[in-house]
Amino acid sequence: MTEHRYDPKAIEARWQRVWASEHTWEVANEGAEGREAVNSSYVLEMLPYPSGEPHIGHLKCYAVGDAIAHFRRRTGHRVLHPMGYDAFGLPAENHAINTGVHPRVSTAASIASFQRQFRAWGISIDWSRELATHEPSYYRWTQWIFLELYRSGLAYRKEAAVKWCPHDQTVLANEQVVDGRCERCGAEVEVRQLEQWFFRITDYAERLLRDLDEIDWPEHVKTMQRNWIGRSEGAEVSFTCEELGIVYPVFTTRPDTLFGATFFVLAPEHPDVMRLAAGTPYEREVHDYINHALTESNEERGAAERPKTGVPLGRTVTNPVNGEQLPMYVADYVLMEYGTGAIMAVPAHDERDYEFARVFDLPIRRVIAAETGASEQQTGDDALPYTGDGPLIDSHPDFDGLPNREALELIVDWLQREGKGHATVSYRLRDWLISRQRYWGCPIPIVYCDSCGVVPVEPDELPVQLPDIEDYAPKGRSPLAAAEDWVRTTCPACDGEARRETDTMDTFVDSSWYFLRYCDARNDEAAWDPAALSEWMPVDQYIGGVEHAILHLMYARFFTKALADLGHLDFQEPFASLFTQGMITKDGAKMSKSRGNVVSPAAIVERYGADTARCYVLFMGPPDQDAEWSDEGAEGMHRFLSRLWRLTGEVAERLDAGGSAPAASNPVQHNGGDPDVQLLRKAHWAIDKVSADLRRFAFNTAIAAVMELLNDCSRLREQTSAQTLGYALQTAGSLLFPFAPHLGAEIYERLTGDRVWEAPWPHADPALLERDVYELVCQVNGKLRDRVSVSSDAGPDELKRRCLTAPNVRVHIDGKEIVKEVVVPGKLVNIVVR
RNA sequence: GCGGCGGUGGCGGAAUCGGUAGACGCGGUGCCCUCAAAAGGCAUUGUUCGUAAGGACGUGUGGGUUCGAGUCCCACCCGCCGCACCA
C-alpha cells in the first residue's frame, strides 16, 4: 500500500518543473485580430504589495483567479493571466528607516519570496510579462502618464487645506483618511495649508458615477463608489451681505424651503469670517471660536451627537426670495469642504438647523405642510423638523399650495430668471492629492525654474530616476530634498538653474495603470502598443479584496477615462467584471501579527501541499464571503485528495494488469440500471455541476460535487469495472484541475496518458443526465408522506395513480375528501384533502 | 440616521425557477483492522415522542399569499460592512 501514499511534494514539484520549462502559461500578442480570431480572455487578480511573505488572503485571491483562468483556457479561450508587484510604498521605507537596508534590497527579497510561493502554489502565470512598479522601466511610464495629465490640465498644483499624517510625515488623499485617521498607520490626521499636486478626478465625477451602470460589479462596491462620489442635485442661491457688499452663494438641495430660512451660517474655515466679525461686538468671541474649531481634531468635531455650537457674526444677509434680513453665524457644523462653506438655515425642515435654532433661540418657520391625510402628529409643531414632502405654505402666493417638489423646480426657474441662483449639482468627491513627502515612490517629473516657473521634464528625458540617499527619515519634507546633487538640475525650457520636485507620487498612481502595461510589458518605446490593448483590454475578470472598493478601483477607472480622453485608449472602463473575495479570519478576527492568529500559507503548503491549501480555501464557503479558518477543515481536504489519489492508484493498477487501453472515453453503453451506468451517470452529473458552478464562482459546491463523485467511486468500486472506475476518476481529476492543478494533472495522466490542460473541458452527455427512473415525492396537504419510484416518461395520470396508491399516502387520505391534486412531473404529487 | 449584505444542525455551509430542508466537509458516537496506537475503513448523526412502523416540531420573530414558503409580500429583532453634521 505504501506506493499509493499521496505525496504532494513530489507530484507538485514534478508538474511545476514541466510548466516552468515549457512556459506553458505564456501567451503571445497576436495583434488586433488576435481578439477576434480566438476568444481572448484577460483574467487578473489585483497585484500584491510585496512585503515579507504572501498571506492566506493572497492564496485565496490567486486560487480564485487561477481556477477561472484554467476553466477559460479549457473552454476555448486564449487567456492572459499575468503577475506583478506594487513595489513602492511605506512599509519598505519604514523598514529602511529602522534598519538602514535600502528599500530596493528589502523589496527585492520580498518579491523573490512572493515569486517562490506563487510557483509553489502552481498558479498558472505568464511570467514573461512580470513587472514591478518600482523598476525604472515601469515608472518611466508612470511619469509619462503624469506628464500627459499635466499637459491636459488634469494634474495641477495648488495650495489647499490638506490632510497631514504626523506619524508617516506626509500628506494623504481624502480617500486615505478613515474616521479622521491615517488609513495606513492609524494616526490621527491634522489639517495643514500646503501646496500640493492634485489630479482633477472631480472633472470625471459624473462619468465615474454614470458608467457604474455599465459594468458587471458587485452591487455593494458600486454603492460604495456612488456614496463616495456623493452626487446631489440642488441649486446655488446667492445671499448678499449689504453692509459689506459681498455675495455669498450657498448650495442647497432644498430650494423649496428658501422661504423658511431664518438664519445663515458660515464654516469656521470660511476665509471671510474674521472680516465679517471685524468691528462688531462679537469680534473677540468669533476669533476664539475659530481658533478652537481649527485646533479641534476631526474626530471630536465629526461626532454627530455633540451639541451645536456657534457664535453670531453681528451681520445679516438678504434672503433673495423675500428680501428678509437673516442673522449670520459661524458654526462648526458647517463644513468648508462641502458646497461653498456657507449655508442657508431652515430650522423647520432640517434637523441640524433645527437643533442650532433651539440652542440659540432662533425663529423656526414652517413652510411645508404635512401631506394631506397625514396624522395629527405630523401637522403640529411637535412634528418639526419636518423633512418630508407636502404643499408649500406661508411662502409666496405663486407657490403656496403647490406640492414642494413641483415648487422646487419653479423656484429654481424663478431664481435663474432673476439672476439670483441656478440649478446645480454638487459632489462629495474631492480632487486626488497625489504628492507625498516620502522617499520610496515614483518621482514627480517636474522641475522648478526661477525664470520659467513650473516646468515638466521632457518625455525623452524619462525616467527621472529615484536617487539613492543616506537618510530615509522623513522630516516634514521629502527625504529627497536632501539629495542636493539630484535636486539641482537644469531647466528643460531655458537651460538655466532649476530644482527638481522632491515629492513622490502616491503609490496608488502606480497601480492605476499596471493592467495596461501587462498587455505589452516589454515595450521600451512606449507605455503600450495600442494594438496590444485592443487585443486584451478591458480586463474580462478582475479579482481582489473589497478593501480596494473605493481607492484603487476608483483611481484606475479615472486613469482609464482620462487616458481615453487623451486618445491613448479606446475604452472607458478598465474592469468589465469584478469579483471581490471575502476575508479569511481566524478565531473570529482578521489575521494579524499582533493578534498572533496568523495562518501561514507556506506552512500549510509544506504540510499538506499546495493542492490541499488551494482547494480548502475555495471549499470554506462562498468565495465572496468571509470565512473562518479551521485546521480540521484543511485536514479534511487533505484526506479527500489522499483518498482520490489512493483509489486512482488502485484502479490504474487494475487497468495496467488487465492490459486495458486508457480509460479516456465512455467505457460502457448506458442502457441499464447496473452500477457501471450509475457511476457513469454520476460522472456526467459532476461534469454538469462543476461546469455550472465554475461559471457562477461557486467553487465550494463544485469541489463538493467532485467529492460526491469520489464517494460513489468508493462505494461502487467492487461492483463496477476498472474501465468505468478509471473513466470516473479521470473525470474527477479533470474537473478538479482548476482547483488542484498538480493532482488533477497527475491523475489524468496516470489514467489517460494525456496532459489535462491540453484536453478540452469535459462535456456532459445530455442522455446521461436524464434519469429513466426517479423518486416521486408524494405529499398530502403539502406534507411529505411517501416516495415511490416512477418511470421518467410516466404521464400526470400515472403519477397521480402511483401517489394515491402509495401505502403511507393512503393512511393519510383514508376517509377524507380529496379536494385537489397538484401534479408536478419530475418532482411530486400533492393530494389536498379535507 | 442613510445605503448595502446577511441570520439554516454542535460548527463551516448546501438547497441555481415557489416543490424531498440540512448536499459536501468538520466535529461527535459505535464498530472493524491492530499486541496497542496512528493511519485507514464501515455505520450512524437536526430536535423530540415511539421497541418499531411512524408521528410532531424545525431555516431570527410575528403576520400574510399559496395545494405547497428557507425562497415571495408586510411589519419587526439581531449581526456585519460602507457612508455619515454632505446643507
Side-chain angles (χ1 to χ4, degrees):
Chain A
M1 279 310 265
T2 42
E3 68 268 32
H4 291 317
R5 233 186 98 84
Y6 172 44
D7 179 8
K9 274 210 180 76
I11 294 172
E12 292 175 3
R14 178 181 167 218
W15 292 105
Q16 282 159 22
R17 268 197 306 275
V18 171
W19 298 329
S21 68
E22 298 185 8
H23 306 276
T24 311
W25 313 119
E26 290 181 16
V27 59
N29 284 357
E30 295 184 359
E33 63 277 13
R35 181 138 213 155
E36 319 298 321
V38 195
N39 239 336
S40 293
S41 192
Y42 190 172
V43 178
L44 182 66
E45 299 93 59
M46 290 180 186
L47 90 174
Y49 174 76
S51 169
E53 292 212 325
H55 55 72
I56 203 90
H58 289 115
L59 176 66
K60 182 168 175 180
C61 179
Y62 298 111
V64 167
D66 209 33
I68 294 161
H70 276 311
F71 181 58
R72 294 205 173 175
R73 282 192 197 99
R74 291 186 60 204
T75 48
H77 295 255
R78 232 160 51 84
V79 172
L80 174 58
H81 189 220
M83 178 62 73
Y85 310 94
D86 188 16
F88 274 135
L90 275 187
E93 183 169 346
N94 289 338
H95 183 256
I97 293 165
N98 294 330
T99 63
V101 176
H102 196 290
R104 193 182 301 114
V105 174
S106 56
T107 298
S110 288
I111 288 177
S113 141
F114 271 62
Q115 286 167 332
R116 256 198 315 278
Q117 287 283 306
F118 292 154
R119 286 189 191 273
W121 297 349
I123 310 290
S124 62
I125 294 162
D126 178 350
W127 289 106
S128 73
R129 297 169 187 257
E130 189 183 24
L131 59 80
T133 58
H134 74 302
E135 289 166 351
S137 60
Y138 180 87
Y139 70 67
R140 169 184 181 180
W141 304 112
T142 307
Q143 292 172 341
W144 173 78
I145 292 171
F146 177 94
L147 293 179
E148 286 291 292
L149 296 178
Y150 181 76
R151 193 170 58 82
S152 65
L154 288 172
Y156 67 97
R157 218 173 134 72
K158 77 165 178 198
E159 190 184 301
V162 298
K163 306 288 164 55
W164 170 266
C165 173
H167 178 264
D168 287 341
Q169 295 271 303
T170 181
V171 296
L172 300 170
N174 276 22
E175 290 80 5
Q176 290 153 25
V177 179
V178 177
D179 292 333
R181 291 175 178 279
C182 170
E183 182 223 14
R184 250 174 207 299
C185 70
E188 207 167 281
V189 304
E190 300 162 2
V191 176
R192 289 195 178 183
Q193 196 70 21
L194 291 170
E195 193 172 326
Q196 296 290 326
W197 283 98
F198 292 85
F199 285 160
R200 214 177 287 280
I201 192 171
T202 49
D203 275 12
Y204 288 80
E206 191 61 41
R207 284 164 64 187
L208 286 168
L209 183 68
R210 194 189 57 208
D211 288 353
L212 285 172
D213 297 336
E214 310 296 316
I215 49 184
D216 177 25
W217 284 22
E219 206 45 51
H220 66 281
V221 176
K222 291 191 189 185
T223 303
M224 282 164 73
Q225 293 216 349
R226 286 189 191 108
N227 283 346
W228 190 260
I229 294 166
R231 182 185 201 273
S232 43
E233 279 183 27
E236 200 166 278
V237 184
S238 297
F239 287 70
T240 312
C241 176
E242 317 282 356
E243 292 158 281
L244 298 178
I246 308 172
V247 176
Y248 289 106
V250 302
F251 175 75
T252 177
T253 55
R254 297 295 305 276
D256 53 324
T257 63
L258 260 166
F259 292 92
T262 55
F263 58 103
F264 189 92
V265 190
L266 294 176
E269 294 85 355
H270 198 287
D272 286 359
V273 171
M274 272 328 292
R275 189 167 143 210
L276 283 159
T280 74
Y282 305 101
E283 187 170 356
R284 178 89 231 152
E285 208 182 329
V286 168
H287 179 84
D288 292 346
Y289 184 79
I290 294 173
N291 276 349
H292 179 69
L294 295 184
T295 52
E296 223 178 4
S297 74
N298 279 315
E299 216 168 2
E300 289 169 297
R301 185 169 160 186
E305 304 307 320
R306 73 190 327 226
K308 294 280 177 285
T309 61
V311 180
L313 286 170
R315 307 277 181 185
T316 59
V317 286
T318 309
N319 185 342
V321 293
N322 55 15
E324 276 180 28
Q325 293 301 303
L326 307 178
M328 297 179 87
Y329 284 79
V330 54
D332 67 4
Y333 81 93
V334 175
L335 309 174
M336 193 61 217
E337 303 97 86
Y338 188 77
T340 59
I343 63 157
M344 65 163 195
V346 185
H349 303 290
D350 181 282
E351 283 167 25
R352 298 148 301 173
D353 297 344
Y354 181 81
E355 269 182 61
F356 190 87
R358 295 299 292 255
V359 173
F360 288 84
D361 205 19
L362 291 158
I364 296 168
R365 186 193 305 154
R366 180 164 194 157
V367 292
I368 294 176
E371 302 235 50
T372 44
S375 66
E376 186 66 27
Q377 284 170 319
Q378 288 172 309
T379 50
D381 273 358
D382 293 349
L384 294 177
Y386 176 73
T387 52
D389 290 333
L392 255 62
I393 51 172
D394 297 333
S395 295
H396 186 276
D398 289 353
F399 307 119
D400 281 344
L402 288 176
N404 66 310
R405 296 285 147 196
E406 226 171 278
L408 189 151
E409 291 179 26
L410 294 176
I411 290 171
V412 172
D413 288 347
W414 179 80
L415 285 169
Q416 185 124 27
R417 280 198 306 277
E418 298 285 314
K420 291 170 175 171
H422 55 92
T424 186
V425 176
S426 181
Y427 300 92
R428 205 182 75 105
L429 182 71
R430 306 285 90 189
D431 273 345
W432 176 14
L433 197 173
I434 61 119
S435 42
R436 296 289 179 274
Q437 292 71 51
R438 296 300 301 241
Y439 168 71
W440 191 232
C442 176
I444 294 173
I446 290 287
V447 302
Y448 299 97
C449 168
D450 283 343
S451 25
C452 310
V454 178
V455 185
V457 173
E458 290 296 316
D460 56 7
E461 296 292 315
L462 298 180
V464 174
Q465 294 254 6
L466 185 65
D468 286 345
I469 57 170
E470 297 296 319
D471 181 8
Y472 306 104
K475 299 173 183 67
R477 57 174 196 165
S478 170
L480 283 179
E484 260 306 313
D485 290 349
W486 179 81
V487 171
R488 226 175 303 136
T489 185
T490 52
C491 171
C494 70
D495 271 341
E497 271 188 31
R499 297 179 67 78
R500 289 195 187 280
E501 169 64 63
T502 58
D503 284 357
T504 53
M505 291 185 222
D506 181 2
T507 54
F508 279 105
V509 177
D510 308 327
S511 55
S512 291
W513 73 280
Y514 76 102
F515 42 91
L516 303 173
R517 183 65 178 170
Y518 279 138
C519 297
D520 199 11
R522 298 288 169 263
N523 193 334
D524 291 331
E525 309 297 314
W528 54 75
D529 175 352
L533 292 195
S534 62
E535 184 174 354
W536 298 111
M537 287 297 295
V539 173
D540 294 278
Q541 184 63 58
Y542 199 37
I543 299 140
V546 74
E547 64 273 17
H548 294 107
I550 294 172
L551 294 156
H552 164 61
L553 289 171
M554 183 104 80
Y555 296 150
R557 294 182 62 221
F558 159 62
F559 258 48
T560 300
K561 290 180 192 303
L563 288 165
D565 286 355
L566 293 168
H568 296 301
L569 312 176
D570 60 2
F571 49 90
Q572 289 292 321
E573 284 290 335
F575 315 122
S577 183
L578 173 72
F579 182 85
T580 53
Q581 97 260 9
M583 205 177 31
I584 296 182
T585 57
K586 180 79 194 296
D587 309 325
K590 185 176 179 168
M591 292 183 194
S592 72
K593 280 198 192 109
S594 54
R595 261 196 210 87
N597 62 344
V598 176
V599 176
S600 146
I604 302 298
V605 170
E606 172 63 25
R607 187 158 174 194
Y608 301 116
D611 287 336
T612 294
R614 293 177 56 161
C615 286
Y616 180 58
V617 297
L618 296 179
F619 184 68
M620 292 171 81
D624 56 333
Q625 282 173 32
D626 291 351
E628 169 75 10
W629 179 267
S630 148
D631 286 331
E632 292 78 14
E635 186 86 37
M637 183 54 67
H638 189 247
R639 264 201 297 270
F640 160 63
L641 297 182
S642 302
R643 285 203 302 136
L644 177 59
W645 173 246
R646 275 201 312 272
L647 190 58
T648 299
E650 239 176 80
V651 170
E653 275 176 18
R654 271 167 70 184
L655 286 167
D656 291 347
S660 307
S665 56
N666 289 4
V668 294
Q669 308 291 316
H670 32 87
N671 52 1
D674 58 273
D676 281 283
V677 175
Q678 215 185 315
L679 187 55
L680 195 58
R681 285 178 182 281
K682 189 69 180 185
H684 280 258
W685 166 84
I687 291 168
D688 190 53
K689 174 80 177 150
V690 173
S691 309
D693 285 353
L694 271 165
R695 273 180 219 109
R696 62 185 186 112
F697 292 76
F699 311 114
N700 53 335
T701 51
I703 292 169
V706 181
M707 287 174 168
E708 282 196 53
L709 177 57
L710 174 65
N711 289 346
D712 275 19
C713 287
S714 299
R715 193 166 53 81
L716 299 169
R717 79 219 274 182
E718 305 295 338
Q719 309 153 54
T720 44
S721 69
Q723 277 75 17
T724 307
L725 279 170
Y727 173 76
L729 290 167
Q730 169 253 107
T731 302
S734 183
L735 295 176
L736 207 57
F737 173 72
F739 319 112
H742 313 88
L743 184 61
E746 186 79 16
I747 288 171
Y748 196 81
E749 190 204 47
R750 183 85 173 87
L751 292 169
T752 69
D754 295 329
R755 295 174 149 191
V756 66
W757 64 88
E758 289 168 1
W761 188 251
H763 175 73
D765 179 353
L768 285 165
L769 293 176
E770 280 166 23
R771 306 154 301 175
D772 34 34
V773 170
Y774 66 95
E775 293 266 284
L776 180 75
V777 167
C778 304
Q779 297 180 334
V780 177
N781 286 350
K783 285 196 160 103
L784 174 73
R785 292 305 180 190
D786 215 334
R787 284 176 243 248
V788 291
S789 183
V790 298
S791 159
S792 294
D793 45 27
D797 291 340
E798 167 77 359
L799 295 177
K800 205 185 297 175
R801 191 184 61 75
R802 291 295 310 277
C803 179
L804 288 167
T805 53
N808 202 40
V809 170
R810 299 182 60 167
V811 173
H812 286 90
I813 61 176
D814 245 13
K816 303 205 170 112
E817 181 197 351
I818 294 175
V819 181
K820 188 172 181 178
E821 290 139 337
V822 181
V823 181
V824 185
K827 291 272 185 200
L828 56 80
V829 174
N830 186 15
I831 311 293
V832 186
V833 296
R834 196 154 41 205

